[in-house]
Amino acid sequence: MMFDPASPLYIPLKADAKLIRFLLGFAWHSTPKKWEQAMRTFSEIGTSGLDAFDEISESTSAGPGVQETTTPANPFLTGFRTMADRDGLLHEFEMIHKTGGSVEYDLLTGDELRGIEPTCRRTSWPALPSRTSAS
């Protein structure tokens, strides 16, 4: 799949020292241990990141602040073509929980999803994670 030019993640088959160095570094940092370390950091940031953004949006003596405020995506909907794809996200949610974060979600049927968002395709798999809120 990665070597197919139509793939979203296309890697050309050619001898390119920079590409090989990048791919080796990418593989080195793409381990479960590295992922868990990063998620622990992101879980900590996630609990204060939006509040910090809201704080800098307020006017101060330094200037008028940021003109946009944060708005939660509620509901945040995800739909999948296969159960394997859905299970991949559920595994990510389990790992987030394991590293100290939390994600709340509901599993919906395809019909329930389309009741909320009619533009979702009929080929979306039933039982979809939805209404996620991370902290």
Side-chain angles (χ1 to χ4, degrees), residues 78-101:
T78 55
F80 302 95
R81 295 183 68 104
T82 68
M83 288 293 281
D85 291 342
R86 185 209 66 174
D87 291 345
L89 181 61
L90 291 176
H91 175 72
E92 297 280 328
F93 289 170
E94 290 171 19
M95 294 303 294
I96 289 169
H97 179 72
K98 179 181 174 185
T99 58

mmCIF file of all heavy atoms in Angstrom, residues 78-101:
data_model
loop_
_atom_site.group_PDB
_atom_site.id
_atom_site.type_symbol
_atom_site.label_atom_id
_atom_site.label_comp_id
_atom_site.label_asym_id
_atom_site.label_seq_id
_atom_site.Cartn_x
_atom_site.Cartn_y
_atom_site.Cartn_z
ATOM 1 N N THR A 78 -17.294 10.244 14.077
ATOM 2 C CA THR A 78 -16.394 9.474 13.244
ATOM 3 C C THR A 78 -17.153 8.286 12.681
ATOM 4 O O THR A 78 -17.964 7.679 13.374
ATOM 5 C CB THR A 78 -15.179 8.962 14.048
ATOM 6 O OG1 THR A 78 -15.639 8.238 15.172
ATOM 7 C CG2 THR A 78 -14.300 10.111 14.504
ATOM 8 N N GLY A 79 -16.902 7.995 11.437
ATOM 9 C CA GLY A 79 -17.537 6.865 10.781
ATOM 10 C C GLY A 79 -16.484 6.065 10.033
ATOM 11 O O GLY A 79 -15.477 6.624 9.598
ATOM 12 N N PHE A 80 -16.688 4.790 9.892
ATOM 13 C CA PHE A 80 -15.691 3.920 9.287
ATOM 14 C C PHE A 80 -16.312 3.002 8.260
ATOM 15 O O PHE A 80 -17.480 2.664 8.342
ATOM 16 C CB PHE A 80 -15.002 3.080 10.379
ATOM 17 C CG PHE A 80 -14.365 3.926 11.426
ATOM 18 C CD1 PHE A 80 -15.048 4.227 12.589
ATOM 19 C CD2 PHE A 80 -13.113 4.462 11.230
ATOM 20 C CE1 PHE A 80 -14.479 5.026 13.554
ATOM 21 C CE2 PHE A 80 -12.533 5.270 12.188
ATOM 22 C CZ PHE A 80 -13.209 5.550 13.354
ATOM 23 N N ARG A 81 -15.504 2.566 7.337
ATOM 24 C CA ARG A 81 -15.971 1.638 6.315
ATOM 25 C C ARG A 81 -15.893 0.193 6.799
ATOM 26 O O ARG A 81 -16.604 -0.660 6.296
ATOM 27 C CB ARG A 81 -15.173 1.821 5.040
ATOM 28 C CG ARG A 81 -15.413 3.199 4.418
ATOM 29 C CD ARG A 81 -14.681 3.331 3.118
ATOM 30 N NE ARG A 81 -15.259 2.446 2.137
ATOM 31 C CZ ARG A 81 -16.046 2.825 1.141
ATOM 32 N NH1 ARG A 81 -16.315 4.091 0.991
ATOM 33 N NH2 ARG A 81 -16.534 1.959 0.303
ATOM 34 N N THR A 82 -14.992 -0.091 7.746
ATOM 35 C CA THR A 82 -14.852 -1.465 8.227
ATOM 36 C C THR A 82 -14.788 -1.479 9.753
ATOM 37 O O THR A 82 -14.424 -0.491 10.384
ATOM 38 C CB THR A 82 -13.564 -2.129 7.697
ATOM 39 O OG1 THR A 82 -12.431 -1.487 8.290
ATOM 40 C CG2 THR A 82 -13.477 -2.056 6.180
ATOM 41 N N MET A 83 -15.115 -2.631 10.322
ATOM 42 C CA MET A 83 -15.008 -2.796 11.765
ATOM 43 C C MET A 83 -13.552 -2.731 12.198
ATOM 44 O O MET A 83 -13.245 -2.241 13.281
ATOM 45 C CB MET A 83 -15.618 -4.132 12.191
ATOM 46 C CG MET A 83 -17.133 -4.154 12.090
ATOM 47 S SD MET A 83 -17.916 -3.051 13.277
ATOM 48 C CE MET A 83 -17.821 -4.034 14.751
ATOM 49 N N ALA A 84 -12.639 -3.204 11.366
ATOM 50 C CA ALA A 84 -11.210 -3.144 11.710
ATOM 51 C C ALA A 84 -10.760 -1.694 11.869
ATOM 52 O O ALA A 84 -9.994 -1.374 12.778
ATOM 53 C CB ALA A 84 -10.377 -3.855 10.646
ATOM 54 N N ASP A 85 -11.238 -0.816 10.988
ATOM 55 C CA ASP A 85 -10.902 0.600 11.108
ATOM 56 C C ASP A 85 -11.458 1.171 12.415
ATOM 57 O O ASP A 85 -10.784 1.898 13.132
ATOM 58 C CB ASP A 85 -11.448 1.393 9.924
ATOM 59 C CG ASP A 85 -10.749 1.078 8.622
ATOM 60 O OD1 ASP A 85 -9.627 0.519 8.647
ATOM 61 O OD2 ASP A 85 -11.334 1.377 7.564
ATOM 62 N N ARG A 86 -12.698 0.826 12.711
ATOM 63 C CA ARG A 86 -13.313 1.302 13.954
ATOM 64 C C ARG A 86 -12.558 0.778 15.164
ATOM 65 O O ARG A 86 -12.275 1.496 16.109
ATOM 66 C CB ARG A 86 -14.775 0.856 14.027
ATOM 67 C CG ARG A 86 -15.465 1.462 15.255
ATOM 68 C CD ARG A 86 -16.559 0.638 15.797
ATOM 69 N NE ARG A 86 -16.058 -0.618 16.347
ATOM 70 C CZ ARG A 86 -16.807 -1.478 16.983
ATOM 71 N NH1 ARG A 86 -18.089 -1.257 17.125
ATOM 72 N NH2 ARG A 86 -16.303 -2.596 17.448
ATOM 73 N N ASP A 87 -12.198 -0.503 15.131
ATOM 74 C CA ASP A 87 -11.493 -1.103 16.252
ATOM 75 C C ASP A 87 -10.122 -0.465 16.461
ATOM 76 O O ASP A 87 -9.634 -0.386 17.590
ATOM 77 C CB ASP A 87 -11.365 -2.615 16.054
ATOM 78 C CG ASP A 87 -12.712 -3.320 16.166
ATOM 79 O OD1 ASP A 87 -13.683 -2.694 16.666
ATOM 80 O OD2 ASP A 87 -12.809 -4.485 15.732
ATOM 81 N N GLY A 88 -9.508 0.012 15.382
ATOM 82 C CA GLY A 88 -8.237 0.719 15.514
ATOM 83 C C GLY A 88 -8.385 1.977 16.352
ATOM 84 O O GLY A 88 -7.546 2.260 17.217
ATOM 85 N N LEU A 89 -9.455 2.732 16.136
ATOM 86 C CA LEU A 89 -9.685 3.933 16.939
ATOM 87 C C LEU A 89 -10.028 3.572 18.377
ATOM 88 O O LEU A 89 -9.557 4.217 19.316
ATOM 89 C CB LEU A 89 -10.789 4.805 16.336
ATOM 90 C CG LEU A 89 -11.072 6.100 17.098
ATOM 91 C CD1 LEU A 89 -9.838 7.000 17.147
ATOM 92 C CD2 LEU A 89 -12.239 6.840 16.467
ATOM 93 N N LEU A 90 -10.811 2.521 18.564
ATOM 94 C CA LEU A 90 -11.132 2.101 19.924
ATOM 95 C C LEU A 90 -9.863 1.682 20.676
ATOM 96 O O LEU A 90 -9.717 1.955 21.873
ATOM 97 C CB LEU A 90 -12.149 0.960 19.910
ATOM 98 C CG LEU A 90 -13.552 1.345 19.439
ATOM 99 C CD1 LEU A 90 -14.451 0.122 19.384
ATOM 100 C CD2 LEU A 90 -14.149 2.428 20.311
ATOM 101 N N HIS A 91 -8.926 1.063 19.968
ATOM 102 C CA HIS A 91 -7.639 0.710 20.582
ATOM 103 C C HIS A 91 -6.890 1.984 20.987
ATOM 104 O O HIS A 91 -6.298 2.037 22.078
ATOM 105 C CB HIS A 91 -6.797 -0.132 19.626
ATOM 106 C CG HIS A 91 -5.432 -0.433 20.146
ATOM 107 N ND1 HIS A 91 -5.212 -1.314 21.173
ATOM 108 C CD2 HIS A 91 -4.227 0.063 19.809
ATOM 109 C CE1 HIS A 91 -3.915 -1.362 21.442
ATOM 110 N NE2 HIS A 91 -3.299 -0.532 20.620
ATOM 111 N N GLU A 92 -6.908 2.990 20.138
ATOM 112 C CA GLU A 92 -6.268 4.271 20.480
ATOM 113 C C GLU A 92 -6.906 4.851 21.737
ATOM 114 O O GLU A 92 -6.204 5.356 22.618
ATOM 115 C CB GLU A 92 -6.404 5.268 19.324
ATOM 116 C CG GLU A 92 -5.709 4.861 18.055
ATOM 117 C CD GLU A 92 -4.223 5.136 18.071
ATOM 118 O OE1 GLU A 92 -3.807 6.116 18.712
ATOM 119 O OE2 GLU A 92 -3.490 4.363 17.443
ATOM 120 N N PHE A 93 -8.229 4.791 21.839
ATOM 121 C CA PHE A 93 -8.910 5.304 23.026
ATOM 122 C C PHE A 93 -8.471 4.529 24.269
ATOM 123 O O PHE A 93 -8.266 5.121 25.337
ATOM 124 C CB PHE A 93 -10.423 5.203 22.867
ATOM 125 C CG PHE A 93 -11.015 6.171 21.875
ATOM 126 C CD1 PHE A 93 -12.340 6.035 21.483
ATOM 127 C CD2 PHE A 93 -10.291 7.213 21.333
ATOM 128 C CE1 PHE A 93 -12.916 6.921 20.589
ATOM 129 C CE2 PHE A 93 -10.847 8.102 20.437
ATOM 130 C CZ PHE A 93 -12.168 7.954 20.064
ATOM 131 N N GLU A 94 -8.328 3.206 24.147
ATOM 132 C CA GLU A 94 -7.863 2.402 25.281
ATOM 133 C C GLU A 94 -6.465 2.822 25.705
ATOM 134 O O GLU A 94 -6.170 2.917 26.907
ATOM 135 C CB GLU A 94 -7.863 0.915 24.906
ATOM 136 C CG GLU A 94 -9.242 0.309 24.756
ATOM 137 C CD GLU A 94 -9.199 -1.096 24.164
ATOM 138 O OE1 GLU A 94 -8.116 -1.743 24.212
ATOM 139 O OE2 GLU A 94 -10.231 -1.547 23.667
ATOM 140 N N MET A 95 -5.612 3.083 24.734
ATOM 141 C CA MET A 95 -4.240 3.491 25.048
ATOM 142 C C MET A 95 -4.216 4.877 25.686
ATOM 143 O O MET A 95 -3.411 5.136 26.582
ATOM 144 C CB MET A 95 -3.375 3.456 23.785
ATOM 145 C CG MET A 95 -3.185 2.056 23.219
ATOM 146 S SD MET A 95 -2.462 0.880 24.393
ATOM 147 C CE MET A 95 -0.845 1.587 24.596
ATOM 148 N N ILE A 96 -5.076 5.762 25.232
ATOM 149 C CA ILE A 96 -5.167 7.088 25.848
ATOM 150 C C ILE A 96 -5.564 6.934 27.311
ATOM 151 O O ILE A 96 -4.979 7.567 28.199
ATOM 152 C CB ILE A 96 -6.159 7.981 25.077
ATOM 153 C CG1 ILE A 96 -5.574 8.362 23.722
ATOM 154 C CG2 ILE A 96 -6.520 9.228 25.888
ATOM 155 C CD1 ILE A 96 -6.557 9.010 22.770
ATOM 156 N N HIS A 97 -6.539 6.074 27.579
ATOM 157 C CA HIS A 97 -6.961 5.829 28.957
ATOM 158 C C HIS A 97 -5.804 5.249 29.772
ATOM 159 O O HIS A 97 -5.549 5.662 30.912
ATOM 160 C CB HIS A 97 -8.168 4.890 28.989
ATOM 161 C CG HIS A 97 -8.643 4.567 30.362
ATOM 162 N ND1 HIS A 97 -9.290 5.467 31.160
ATOM 163 C CD2 HIS A 97 -8.518 3.440 31.088
ATOM 164 C CE1 HIS A 97 -9.553 4.916 32.327
ATOM 165 N NE2 HIS A 97 -9.103 3.671 32.306
ATOM 166 N N LYS A 98 -5.075 4.316 29.177
ATOM 167 C CA LYS A 98 -3.952 3.659 29.857
ATOM 168 C C LYS A 98 -2.856 4.657 30.233
ATOM 169 O O LYS A 98 -2.176 4.478 31.238
ATOM 170 C CB LYS A 98 -3.372 2.573 28.954
ATOM 171 C CG LYS A 98 -2.186 1.838 29.520
ATOM 172 C CD LYS A 98 -1.667 0.802 28.547
ATOM 173 C CE LYS A 98 -0.389 0.177 29.081
ATOM 174 N NZ LYS A 98 0.200 -0.736 28.119
ATOM 175 N N THR A 99 -2.687 5.711 29.447
ATOM 176 C CA THR A 99 -1.622 6.681 29.693
ATOM 177 C C THR A 99 -2.092 7.885 30.492
ATOM 178 O O THR A 99 -1.394 8.895 30.570
ATOM 179 C CB THR A 99 -0.987 7.139 28.368
ATOM 180 O OG1 THR A 99 -1.996 7.700 27.527
ATOM 181 C CG2 THR A 99 -0.307 5.992 27.654
ATOM 182 N N GLY A 100 -3.284 7.812 31.074
ATOM 183 C CA GLY A 100 -3.734 8.869 31.966
ATOM 184 C C GLY A 100 -4.747 9.831 31.382
ATOM 185 O O GLY A 100 -5.248 10.698 32.082
ATOM 186 N N GLY A 101 -5.067 9.703 30.123
ATOM 187 C CA GLY A 101 -6.073 10.565 29.507
ATOM 188 C C GLY A 101 -7.440 9.919 29.565
ATOM 189 O O GLY A 101 -7.606 8.822 30.108
#
